[in-house]
Amino acid sequence: MTSTVPCTAGNWAAAFLPILVLLVLMIQFRWRATEAAPMGLFAALIIALTVFRANSALIAAEAAKGIWSALVVLIVIWPALLMYEISNEANAFDSFRSGIRALLPNELVRIMAIGLGFVGFLIGITGFGVPVAVGAPLLIGIGVSPLYAVVISLIGEAWGSTFGTLGVAWDAMRLAAGLDADPQMLLNTALWSGVFIWIWNLIVALTVCWLYGRWQGIRKGLPAALLVSLIQGGGQLLVGQFNQTLACFLPTCAALAVLLLLGRTRLYCEQWSIEESPIMNRSAGGGVKSSGGMSMPEAFVPYIVLTVITLAVLLIKPLKDFLGQWSFGFALPETSTGYGFTNAAVERYSPLSPLTHASFFLIISSIIGYIYYVKKGLLRAGSLRPALRRSVYKVIPSGIAVIGFLIMSRIMSGSGMTSVLADGMARAMGRAYALLAPMVGLLGAFMTSSNMASNILFSEFQLTTARLLGLDAAAILGAQTAGGAIGTATCPGNITLGCTTAGIVGREGEALRKTLPLSIAAAVFVGLILFVILTVI
């Protein structure tokens, strides 16, 4: 993209207005995502046409991009819901709850094992919101209230969104910023990214303890939180210096194993819980039915299959290349605004490789799980049809919201609004821009529901700004992707996905009210550290 859009105070305020509309409607007025998304989209459309001089061809092209991106997300939401419905129909969550209670008698450690350990493990191998979609029902299965199951899954996924999914978001930044041309800068950027994300990871671990039991939860969970953060955040920092592809996956495997072993240690081997914990749903008993004698490994069959398939496809390169050779997308022409802000033509926009996409892994895992449960007599034959019907019914509200959010984000990006937002912050701050560098990443993730997309949008801008201001470019890029990781906890798309699988569609604003202050505070804290290091020390 090239830009000649005037970065005036009026243009900046206009560009921020659609985001403000979303925040006010979802947080202040508690509108549902299905209601707020069309209003945000409408505001973005009007401002793009009037203030930013977009034309109908540009709007149509960006809307097509948004619809396509939304479909890619929705084909993940539906099979994730299907997996949940099949498991729930077989009463697998009751067995899972009983099994993990025996393995981990400490309730807080049980929550950490799923919300930090298993969700972290999932973000290591897959992405696209799958860890939130899968993690929220599992947390509900051990008694966490649905709203907090979504919140914990969101923050438990967010820290790993740079090097997770085998480094997809990292690769996006590496390519956008041209880091391959300077190997030392690449390693320095990985180092800064690892440091900042480790800070966020520790904040996440401590937040889970705080949500569970305030200071009592912190006191009891502090050793586990520090250990998990050392393995996840510290391990990612270390591995990232020699292999960015596995920088998240390897530490998350180790952290999950350690969390499952903590139940045997002196600190956590006894039954312990806080009866009045604000995040637990005591009255519903976890909201599941009798398991009929299903073992914990049987309850986990769909998730075990998901893990095996994902690892096989993504780590065995010949298999990945073979399955990935079939892909499809669509061509888009060059478009530009009246200001000359240009979007280059593309032969295939965001091509989809269905056989290496998370949705394919989820569908296969769901089918295998269903067949296994039927053959074992744990699920009656014919129960797939009602599970399919329920999953389709639940995905419809999510579809409305996700389509609205992503069309809005594409119109803002394609018309130059996103660039003006970032450029305005840089112009206003000077060298103090270091304070806001993580907020730019957060803004991109909030708008696009993706750290990868945030890195694509803003990496080159962050690099150019750093060099113009005489700031360490590697540090600024590290803050960019760390901010994007922090921001994924606030993504409307991810929140909608989590609320859907948790069965609380319509409460997306409540979830955002929980994650947004935490994410902003974390981004500000990272920015303050960066500012002190680059301009004071």
Side-chain angles (χ1 to χ4, degrees), residues 277-335:
S277 170
I279 73 171
M280 302 305 293
N281 186 12
R282 303 293 184 197
S283 60
V288 290
K289 300 169 282 185
S290 172
S291 65
M294 184 189 299
S295 68
M296 186 174 173
E298 286 178 322
F300 242 101
V301 163
Y303 302 100
I304 293 171
V305 173
L306 173 65
T307 301
V308 171
I309 292 176
T310 304
L311 288 177
V313 173
L314 296 185
L315 292 180
I316 302 175
K317 192 174 186 304
L319 178 61
K320 181 181 179 181
D321 292 342
F322 174 74
L323 296 176
Q325 62 185 340
W326 178 42
S327 65
F328 55 91
F330 57 92
L332 286 170
E334 179 181 288
T335 58

Side-chain angles (χ1 to χ4, degrees), residues 24 96 101 170 175 181 193 213 339 359 450 457 537:
V24 170
F96 171 73
R101 179 174 291 159
W170 166 262
L175 294 171
S193 302
Y339 281 119
S359 60
S450 166
L457 277 175
I537 297 179

Side-chain angles (χ1 to χ4, degrees), residues 61 63 132 135 145 197 275 295 315 330 417 489 518:
V132 178
S145 66
I197 294 171
E275 190 62 29
S295 68
L315 292 180
F330 57 92
M417 296 162 69
L518 174 68

Side-chain angles (χ1 to χ4, degrees), residues 102-189:
L103 187 64
L104 298 172
N106 185 291
E107 187 171 66
L108 175 55
V109 176
R110 285 201 295 273
I111 294 169
M112 295 174 73
I114 298 174
L116 299 179
F118 189 64
V119 168
F121 169 75
L122 287 178
I123 190 59
I125 58 171
T126 188
F128 308 99
V130 171
V132 178
V134 171
L138 291 179
L139 285 167
I140 293 170
I142 61 170
V144 179
S145 66
L147 178 63
Y148 282 101
V150 174
V151 170
I152 291 171
S153 297
L154 284 165
I155 63 176
E157 177 200 40
W159 76 270
S161 64
T162 289
F163 295 103
T165 323
L166 301 180
V168 168
W170 166 262
D171 288 340
M173 184 174 70
R174 175 177 58 82
L175 294 171
L179 295 179
D180 289 340
D182 187 344
Q184 187 57 52
M185 184 176 173
L186 185 145
L187 290 178
N188 289 344
T189 303

Side-chain angles (χ1 to χ4, degrees), residues 24 31 73 116 145 162 175 191-192 214 222 367 369 371 374-375 377 383 397 419 437 471 474 500 517 532:
V24 170
W31 281 28
V73 173
L116 299 179
S145 66
T162 289
L175 294 171
L191 180 66
W192 282 104
R214 302 301 186 261
L222 184 60
I367 293 172
I371 293 172
V374 170
K375 285 187 174 294
S383 57
S419 293
L471 298 172
T500 302
V532 170

Side-chain angles (χ1 to χ4, degrees), residues 197-216:
I197 294 171
W198 190 357
I199 294 171
W200 171 227
N201 175 266
L202 180 58
I203 291 172
V204 166
L206 294 175
T207 298
V208 172
C209 297
W210 173 262
L211 290 174
Y212 178 76
R214 302 301 186 261
W215 290 115
Q216 188 179 357

